[in-house]
Amino acid sequence: MLLLLFDIDGTLLQRASVEHATALRVAAGRVHGVDLLGIEGVEYAGRTDRAITRDLLTAAGVTDVDEAWVEEAAAEYARRCPPDLSATVAPGMVELLEALSARPDEFRLSLVTGNLESVARLKLERAGVGRFFPAGQGGFGSDHEDRGRLPAIARARAASPPWERERTVVIGDTPLDIACARVDEVRVAAVATGPFAVEALADADAVVDDARSLLPVLDDWA
């Protein structure tokens, strides 16, 4: 059986991160007494919420980070999250997830995302695809600031002893998704559905244009 670790933003969903990004800035700014809304130059794609927020606070002159921002960000996102995110699901993704879920002896679906877990779960629920990803599984930005640590966390949650690296695949849309897979020495399939073109994802073990093209790749690896 293959453990499939899906990224969220740019992979499962497209253009579903505006409220999320604002919630991070508002919540962390509120906790630390600074205004983060006008800060520019902080990279988001493929990074964890912890890393993003630390960079935002550093840019505002904050060096002593109060962890209260994590709970505050989850609450702020819950207030801002649109009630229906189904239109943001990547084309062909529902069909892919349904096909994979119909083969439980071959594929286990899970997550590796830089989102805080509470944000990730709500986002997927509102998009209508949360049912494919069981609670208690995955690796999230709330688990560690370093994206490279998340696949190992997800493997440990999937099985004891941890799920085998040889039977684990990260699925993402950025070079940092590829990099996190390499840190844990697992395979990676990249989809060019986010901000990066196929050429920028060439270091993955497989690169496809969209979700519809992923199933043949995963079939070959199963």
Side-chain angles (χ1 to χ4, degrees):
M1 187 187 300
L2 285 183
L3 176 64
L4 305 179
L5 304 178
F6 281 85
D7 170 58
I8 295 180
D9 295 308
T11 303
L12 291 171
L13 310 181
Q14 298 175 324
R15 297 176 295 281
S17 58
V18 173
E19 295 82 9
H20 176 191
T22 302
L24 292 182
R25 290 175 180 255
V26 169
R30 182 185 300 134
V31 168
H32 294 88
V34 293
D35 182 4
L36 302 179
L37 291 177
I39 291 178
E40 300 179 355
V42 173
E43 180 61 41
Y44 278 74
R47 304 182 70 211
T48 65
D49 284 355
R50 286 186 177 277
I52 292 164
T53 301
R54 183 177 295 280
D55 281 359
L56 288 168
L57 290 170
T58 297
V62 177
T63 56
D64 186 11
V65 177
D66 185 339
E67 284 294 298
W69 77 264
V70 176
E71 184 175 346
E72 188 70 17
E76 186 67 31
Y77 181 68
R79 288 190 287 269
R80 292 174 176 271
C81 183
D84 185 357
L85 288 171
S86 58
T88 71
V89 179
M93 186 56 71
V94 171
E95 292 81 2
L96 173 67
L97 296 175
E98 288 175 342
L100 295 171
S101 296
R103 297 161 62 182
D105 293 336
E106 297 175 79
F107 301 108
R108 170 87 69 88
L109 273 60
S110 188
L111 299 165
V112 158
T113 173
N115 291 193
L116 302 174
E117 182 171 6
S118 57
V119 170
R121 296 292 182 186
L122 180 57
K123 194 181 287 188
L124 294 179
E125 176 189 335
R126 297 280 175 90
V129 294
R131 68 187 186 277
F132 295 109
F133 301 98
Q137 300 291 307
F140 303 89
S142 41
D143 293 321
H144 205 286
E145 182 174 321
D146 183 354
R147 182 68 178 258
R149 300 286 190 91
L150 302 187
I153 291 171
R155 290 191 300 104
R157 285 179 175 153
S160 182
W163 201 281
E164 295 179 1
R165 287 183 170 89
E166 294 77 11
R167 304 299 297 166
T168 302
V169 179
V170 168
I171 299 171
D173 67 292
T174 75
L176 288 180
D177 294 313
I178 298 170
C180 89
R182 297 303 181 219
V183 169
D184 198 41
E185 299 179 349
V186 300
R187 279 183 289 189
V188 54
V191 287
T193 51
F196 294 92
V198 168
E199 294 75 17
L201 304 172
D203 289 338
D205 296 297
V207 186
V208 297
D209 290 322
D210 54 32
R212 298 179 182 90
S213 304
L214 265 176
L215 189 57
V217 172
L218 298 175
D219 274 336
D220 284 344
W221 290 349

